[in-house]
């Protein structure tokens, strides 16, 4: 049904069904097409092609990895209801089954949001065969994109990496953690100013983040997105520990990519008083990163800022290796890639140096259309990003013929 998310429900006798069904049927855009009696019934119902999402008890007997794969094969994205949201092993079980969406049994009122998010995930990418190892759901890594002042392309790169992850089968979570003003929403053509980050901050303050943050994510072209600050002065509302909490939750579902600010100065006085510091989100992101990607501009000013930035970063994160991306590389700057690599080498422990070409035509097309590079088809820039992601996630490959597309945007819930 066009514009509707049709769902199958398998409660397997669990008491949450009596609360969940009215909540689901009340929500516009959701149609409950069938209550199934067991996993066999669920799997058979999935083959009819009538459903987009299956709401299932994580405890349902027979719900295993192949059952989850069967559902996805037939275009049905599972949403688990977790019997006991507090126990850590449930997260492990979700990961083992490859489940991305889940709601605690005490948070069933958030189930409709999770269902709509899962429905959009299901529609965001064409089903396709995968020629090589692809990135699936499950425990992911956190990639943090940082770069010095001067708009070197942090947001462009964070979204390009996330788009490439999506092309390799992940449904990455992008968090706009730039304390100097978010721009991920603008890059993606999200027109309203509902801030996912501030909604998460409020949910976190109320102790409800674990249950509600799925509903606060936007689904855009294969990405899950937590949009950033609508205005730079709202940074004070981003609580200490928020970014860390979001990364921790996000990593349980898969890849997490963070866009950050440029400044690294700490404010120890703020830390002692428990209030956020001006660059707290950037520093928190770097402290939890599994992979740090540093982007700098290829021109003389950009390169000197990059060199200073790498030194400052080393003082902040210690000897953790970083991957450097020299952006907007062009012959007119007069240096070869080998010369730039030699210069960068002296300033940091490196896990790689990559170059992205200056391609104003492609980035303008992306910005003006609110699109990711991955949605625009192949370009020299997208190929360079793919090589960078080969370095970040060796052994993963693009799914054959996959090109990200958007059929429907699901608005975030205001909180
Ligand atoms: N490789 C590139 N070639 C041409 N323009 C680029 C490239 N990378 C980024 N840009 C442009 O540079 C500007 C700043 O990029 P952005 O990602 O917003 O920077 P930051 O997040 O570091 O402030 C944008 O207009 C973007 O389109
Ligand atoms: Mg930015």
């Amino acid at each position: 049904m066009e514009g509707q998310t049709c769902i199958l429900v398998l409660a397997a006798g669990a008491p949450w069904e009596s609360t969940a069904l009215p909540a689901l049927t009340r929500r516009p855009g959701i149609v409950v097409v069938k209550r199934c009696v067991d996993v066999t019934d669920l799997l058979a119902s999935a083959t009819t092609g009538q459903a987009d999402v299956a709401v299932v008890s994580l405890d349902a007997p027979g719900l295993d990895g192949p059952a989850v794969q069967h559902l996805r094969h037939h275009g049905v994205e599972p949403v688990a209801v977790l019997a006991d949201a507090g126990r850590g092993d449930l997260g492990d079980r979700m990961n083992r089954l490859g489940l991305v969406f889940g709601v605690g049994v005490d948070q069933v009122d958030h189930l409709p949001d999770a269902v709509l998010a899962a429905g959009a995930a299901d529609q965001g990418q064409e089903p396709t065969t995968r020629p090589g190892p692809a990135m699936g759901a499950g425990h992911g890594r956190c990639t943090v994109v940082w770069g010095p002042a001067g708009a070197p392309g942090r947001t462009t790169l964070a979204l390009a990496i996330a788009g490439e992850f999506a092309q390799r089968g992940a449904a990455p979570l992008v968090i706009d953690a730039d304390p100097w003003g978010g721009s991920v929403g603008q890059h993606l053509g999200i027109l309203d100013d509902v801030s996912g980050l501030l909604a998460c901050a409020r949910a976190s303050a109320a102790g409800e983040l674990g249950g509600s943050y799925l509903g606060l994510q936007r689904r855009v072209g294969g990405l899950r997105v937590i949009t950033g600050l609508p205005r730079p002065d709202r940074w004070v509302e981003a609580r200490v520990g928020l970014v860390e909490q979001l990364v921790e939750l996000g990593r349980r579902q898969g890849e997490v990519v963070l866009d950050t600010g440029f400044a690294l100065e700490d404010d120890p006085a703020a830390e002692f008083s428990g209030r956020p510091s001006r660059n707290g989100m950037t520093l928190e992101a770097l402290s939890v990163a599994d992979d740090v990607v540093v982007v700098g501009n290829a021109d003389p000013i950009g390169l000197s800022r990059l060199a200073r930035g790498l030194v400052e970063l080393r003082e902040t994160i210690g000897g953790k290796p970083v991957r450097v991306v020299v952006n907007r590389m062009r012959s007119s700057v007069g240096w070869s890639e080998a010369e730039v690599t030699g210069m960068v080498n002296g300033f940091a422990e490196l896990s790689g140096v990559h170059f992205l070409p200056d391609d104003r035509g492609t980035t303008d097309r992306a910005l003006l259309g609110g699109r990711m590079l991955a949605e625009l088809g192949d370009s020299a820039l997208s190929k360079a990003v793919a090589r960078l992601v080969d370095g970040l996630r060796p052994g993963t490959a693009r799914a054959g013929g996959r090109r990200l597309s958007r059929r429907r945007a699901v608005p975030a819930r205001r909180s």
Side-chain angles (χ1 to χ4, degrees):
M1 251 178 278
E2 195 58 36
Q4 304 275 31
T5 298
C6 296
I7 64 171
L8 304 168
V9 177
L10 172 60
W16 56 259
E17 190 176 22
S18 56
T19 325
L21 274 180
L24 289 165
T25 44
R26 260 200 315 270
R27 175 63 73 93
I30 296 180
V31 178
V32 179
V33 291
K34 188 174 175 192
R35 292 165 62 199
C36 302
V37 293
D38 56 19
V39 167
T40 311
D41 185 19
L42 175 73
L43 299 187
S45 306
T47 60
T48 63
Q50 290 178 332
D52 308 301
V53 170
V55 174
V56 289
S57 259
L58 191 62
D59 297 329
L63 184 71
D64 53 13
V68 169
Q69 278 168 17
H70 172 99
L71 290 173
R72 290 223 174 91
H73 181 72
H74 291 283
V76 178
E77 181 64 30
V79 175
V81 179
L82 317 178
D84 178 354
R87 287 205 340 253
D89 61 321
L90 288 171
D92 291 346
R93 174 121 202 271
M94 290 232 350
N95 289 338
R96 273 203 305 280
L97 292 179
L99 291 167
V100 175
F101 299 94
V103 167
V105 75
D106 49 347
Q107 317 239 275
V108 165
D109 47 332
H110 296 303
L111 192 54
D113 294 319
V115 162
L116 289 174
D122 179 43
Q123 300 221 349
Q125 297 175 5
E126 305 293 340
T128 171
T129 52
R130 294 172 174 168
M135 306 166 92
H139 198 87
R141 290 173 69 84
C142 168
T143 307
V144 171
V145 179
W146 179 79
R154 293 179 302 266
T155 308
T156 305
L157 184 59
L159 288 172
I161 290 172
E164 184 64 30
F165 282 171
Q167 290 199 304
R168 296 177 188 217
L173 172 66
V174 177
I175 303 173
D176 186 337
D178 185 344
W180 293 87
S183 66
V184 163
Q186 214 175 349
H187 273 253
L188 292 175
I190 296 172
L191 298 178
D192 63 64
D193 61 356
V194 178
S195 165
L197 196 72
L198 294 183
C200 287
R202 288 190 288 274
S204 168
E208 293 171 352
L209 188 60
S212 61
Y213 99 116
L214 279 176
L216 301 174
Q217 298 172 11
R218 316 284 293 239
R219 313 286 318 191
V220 182
L223 311 186
R224 297 175 292 123
V225 180
I226 294 178
T227 52
L229 299 180
R231 291 197 320 260
D233 61 345
R234 305 281 302 265
W235 66 272
V236 281
E237 294 169 53
R239 300 157 56 83
V240 176
L242 176 66
V243 167
E244 192 176 340
Q245 220 181 339
L246 286 171
V247 168
E248 191 41 52
L249 287 165
R251 248 191 313 225
R252 290 187 207 159
Q253 299 178 297
E255 294 286 346
V256 183
V257 179
L258 277 92
D259 181 18
T260 64
F262 59 91
L264 296 175
E265 297 101 74
D266 201 359
D267 176 3
E271 198 183 316
F272 288 126
S273 60
R275 61 183 164 83
S277 67
R278 190 67 182 91
N279 301 308
M281 288 204 288
T282 303
L283 296 171
E284 225 170 83
L286 287 165
S287 74
V288 295
D290 297 302
D291 298 292
V292 176
V293 177
V294 181
V295 57
N297 249 321
D299 60 56
I301 295 168
L303 285 177
S304 67
R305 283 180 174 166
L306 175 63
R308 265 184 278 126
L310 287 170
V311 173
E312 212 188 323
L313 188 64
R314 194 169 52 195
E315 286 160 10
T316 307
I317 62 170
K320 186 147 92 176
V322 300
R323 196 169 285 276
V324 168
V325 174
V326 179
N327 194 14
R328 312 195 68 167
M329 188 64 179
R330 51 205 184 266
S331 55
S332 52
V333 294
W335 288 297
S336 68
E337 292 191 358
E339 284 166 324
V340 174
T341 304
M343 186 231 36
V344 168
N345 250 321
F347 293 101
E349 188 66 41
L350 296 176
S351 42
V353 181
H354 303 262
F355 293 85
L356 300 185
D358 188 34
D359 187 353
R360 200 59 264 192
T362 301
T363 54
D364 276 350
R365 221 154 38 96
L367 266 183
L368 292 172
R371 307 255 134 199
M372 282 177 289
L373 297 178
E375 292 176 280
L376 300 178
D378 273 349
S379 60
L381 192 50
S382 71
K383 285 181 185 156
V385 171
R387 286 193 293 277
L388 160 67
V389 172
D390 287 342
L392 271 173
R393 298 291 178 273
T396 58
R398 272 191 192 186
R402 174 173 287 207
R403 178 164 163 183
L404 297 184
S405 63
R406 309 182 198 189
R407 286 198 223 144
R408 185 175 50 167
V410 175
R413 190 166 55 82
R414 282 179 194 265
S415 106

